[in-house]
Amino acid sequence: MRIPLGSRGSLRQLTRRRRTRVLAVVFAVGLSCCALAWAGSQGGAADGPRAITSEEAGRLAMARFHAYENGPHRVTLKIDDGRDSYEVRGLIDYRKHRAVGSYAAGEPGPKQQKGLIAWDNSGLAVATEAKGTSPSSKTAEIARAAAKVPHGGWSPRAYAGYPLDVALRVVMALGADRPDNAQLLAQSGPRYLGESTLRGTSYARLSGPRPKPQETKPQKTKSQKEGAAGAGSGGPATPQPRRTGLSPLTYWVDEDGELGRLEIRSGGVERPVTVDFTGHEGRVKVPVEPWGESPGGK
């Protein structure tokens, strides 16, 4: 298994060629539902998923802002549907809208593909010949290795419909420079699914908002139009569409509104993609070299 590559260059070249619209199901207040065939549901509380409380809505409303404010973040992304597997371990900076990581594609062994990956809002770039990193490398080692890759060592491309691309794009879209409106958020269909413990911390599992279905008005016949004209506007109100099902995104949020894990259910993967936020990284920065920039900004 290999990650599809693009032509040699930097992510800056890709960004100049193509500005793609951010595709993510994050929050109804911020980002809209992506047009992918996402489906599925989560196991929840003993009596099934329920509407979130105002307190839970407040926590969920702070999650994106905390991700933006408290970064950069260490992240570990895993995709494993029983056939293909990917793992990306790296660093994301929501203020810069950039991230770098090491990746491993396939099962451990001689055929496993390893290298470095960088991504932003416009696409991703892979460096397959990068040295000095492994799937267990620390973020500082990954950042140093990414900074040493020569300009021609990156293969950038725009996002496609691969599960890895979808996951990277959703993760990049998470950060927001202000809290979401908790009241509007609670009205957009998020559900409480239960409690889980991760790395010693208790998290509420909350499904994300769901887009409201668009109202479709049936076509009236000629006789119906004539009857409506004679009766005025006192006819029955058109039923409003209702949100059904669960969001393909599940947020693991602690009592302070900090995000510990994001689960993404994609139509092409049987098991949910997991993205773990394993801590803040105050000393290490996302290097600028993958974007064809010098450290001094010149």
Side-chain angles (χ1 to χ4, degrees):
M1 177 194 346
R2 301 183 65 84
I3 296 179
L5 306 178
S7 58
R8 296 288 180 174
S10 68
L11 270 170
R12 171 183 274 187
Q13 293 173 319
L14 174 64
T15 304
R16 287 173 175 173
R17 290 198 305 267
R18 180 179 179 181
R19 291 281 184 180
T20 56
R21 183 170 58 90
V22 176
L23 174 72
V25 185
V26 182
F27 289 142
V29 179
L31 300 172
S32 61
C33 180
C34 66
L36 294 173
W38 278 342
S41 61
Q42 299 247 30
D47 56 350
R50 60 162 172 78
I52 63 175
T53 65
S54 58
E55 187 272 337
E56 291 160 353
R59 289 159 63 178
L60 187 57
M62 293 299 297
R64 294 178 63 207
F65 177 63
H66 282 164
Y68 176 91
E69 187 180 45
N70 299 332
H73 294 270
R74 296 189 296 272
V75 295
T76 299
L77 182 152
K78 293 183 179 180
I79 301 175
D80 185 0
D81 64 356
R83 300 183 305 273
D84 299 334
S85 63
Y86 296 93
E87 179 173 343
V88 176
R89 187 186 302 267
L91 184 70
I92 186 167
D93 188 336
Y94 286 112
R95 293 178 183 269
K96 300 292 186 180
H97 304 287
R98 292 175 174 180
V100 295
S102 65
Y103 74 88
E107 296 299 323
K111 295 184 179 181
Q112 186 183 54
Q113 180 191 2
K114 300 178 183 179
L116 292 173
I117 188 168
W119 72 99
D120 59 15
N121 288 329
S122 63
L124 61 88
V126 172
T128 58
E129 300 177 4
K131 304 296 182 181
T133 64
S134 69
S136 61
S137 295
K138 295 182 179 180
T139 51
E141 298 171 333
I142 295 170
R144 285 195 297 267
K148 293 179 181 179
V149 177
H151 176 74
W154 294 97
S155 298
R157 64 172 175 80
Y159 287 119
Y162 306 110
L164 177 63
D165 294 38
V166 173
L168 294 177
R169 203 169 186 180
V170 169
V171 172
M172 181 55 67
L174 273 177
D177 60 2
R178 67 195 66 183
D180 288 283
N181 185 308
Q183 183 177 1
L184 293 179
L185 187 61
Q187 297 171 359
S188 60
R191 310 291 287 179
Y192 171 83
L193 305 178
E195 297 283 333
S196 294
T197 300
L198 182 66
R199 298 183 295 273
T201 300
S202 178
Y203 292 92
R205 302 195 321 276
L206 308 174
S207 71
R210 297 163 293 164
K212 189 174 182 179
Q214 293 185 349
E215 180 181 349
T216 57
K217 296 182 177 180
Q219 296 293 327
K220 293 183 178 180
T221 64
K222 182 178 180 180
S223 59
Q224 287 175 326
K225 292 179 180 179
E226 293 174 349
S233 59
T238 303
Q240 294 299 311
R242 299 178 62 184
R243 296 181 175 91
T244 59
L246 294 177
S247 165
L249 299 186
T250 298
Y251 302 84
W252 293 42
V253 185
D254 69 12
E255 61 181 6
D256 297 320
E258 291 277 358
L259 190 63
R261 171 175 287 180
L262 176 71
E263 292 182 348
I264 307 168
R265 288 189 175 271
S266 172
V269 181
E270 294 181 1
R271 304 172 185 173
V273 177
T274 62
V275 184
D276 284 351
F277 293 80
T278 58
H280 312 308
E281 188 62 79
R283 297 182 179 181
V284 182
K285 296 181 179 181
V286 175
V288 298
E289 284 82 359
W291 286 265
E293 301 175 7
S294 62
K298 297 179 180 180

